[in-house]
Amino acid sequence: CLAIVLAVFVNVNTFSATKKSSSSKKSSSSQINSEAAQVALKFLKEYTEVLENNTTGIPNDVSNPEDYDVRYIYFKTTNLITERFRNELLKLTIECYSEEDGCGADLITGHQYYDPKLKILSYNSNKGIVGIQGVDMPDFKVKVKVKNVNGKWLVDNSGF
């Protein structure tokens, strides 16, 4: 009799765990498709597209990046980032030009390379952190911080 009770108990717990597991997958899938996560993905896709299409032939060591650097121009004009992050990126871009070796790793990705094909890996809505991964280069991963500003989701940090 005890064996039957234990067998029923184990089956009920297994069923319950399976239900919880599948419902959490649905939840994370809806989080990945949320507006906040999509803004982070759009920002990173636009940014890598800017890098891919940099055909100006202007060297990265010009003295005034405000006029020539495609990253600087993108940071200045995009409507996907907070003003705080924009100001930080514009300042850092100018500082990179004064460094002999530049900044090393990219300001947005934190890497020296990037994958233009991207997908959302995860989204923590409590912390506002979106994990983005390269499709062709799965080792390429970037964390992007999103923030709701006046009802609009914006990127507030990246590459940390």
Side-chain angles (χ1 to χ4, degrees):
C1 185
L2 181 60
I4 293 173
V5 171
L6 285 175
V8 169
F9 178 76
V10 168
N11 285 336
V12 167
N13 280 340
T14 302
F15 177 75
S16 175
T18 303
K19 291 288 276 181
K20 286 179 186 173
S21 173
S22 67
S23 73
S24 70
K25 285 179 185 175
K26 288 178 187 172
S27 169
S28 66
S29 174
S30 66
Q31 284 188 342
I32 286 173
N33 291 322
S34 72
E35 181 183 354
Q38 293 300 316
V39 164
L41 181 63
K42 181 178 181 182
F43 168 71
L44 210 52
K45 281 185 172 183
E46 279 186 5
Y47 177 71
T48 57
E49 188 175 307
V50 164
L51 297 178
E52 284 278 301
N53 295 325
N54 180 16
T55 57
T56 61
I58 306 283
N60 281 339
D61 62 353
V62 294
S63 59
N64 54 343
E66 297 94 339
D67 295 331
Y68 299 107
D69 187 271
V70 293
R71 294 166 299 189
Y72 187 94
I73 294 166
Y74 176 71
F75 299 150
K76 194 172 181 178
T77 59
T78 183
N79 64 352
L80 297 174
I81 60 177
T82 63
E83 283 304 308
R84 184 208 65 78
F85 193 40
R86 180 186 323 281
N87 292 334
E88 179 182 325
L89 290 170
L90 295 175
K91 179 183 172 202
L92 287 171
T93 302
I94 291 171
E95 287 176 6
C96 287
Y97 277 86
S98 64
E99 297 291 323
E100 188 174 313
D101 296 329
C103 282
D106 186 82
L107 296 174
I108 296 299
T109 67
H111 297 279
Q112 292 183 340
Y113 63 93
Y114 61 93
D115 184 346
K117 294 180 184 173
L118 303 165
K119 67 179 182 178
I120 298 171
L121 186 62
S122 62
Y123 173 50
N124 181 327
S125 59
N126 294 330
K127 294 182 179 181
I129 305 291
V130 182
I132 297 179
Q133 179 179 32
V135 173
D136 293 337
M137 292 187 269
D139 289 344
F140 177 79
K141 295 179 183 172
V142 179
K143 288 183 181 177
V144 178
K145 171 87 172 138
V146 291
K147 179 179 181 180
N148 193 306
V149 178
N150 298 325
K152 183 177 179 183
W153 286 101
L154 300 172
V155 173
D156 195 47
N157 204 347
S158 180
F160 53 94

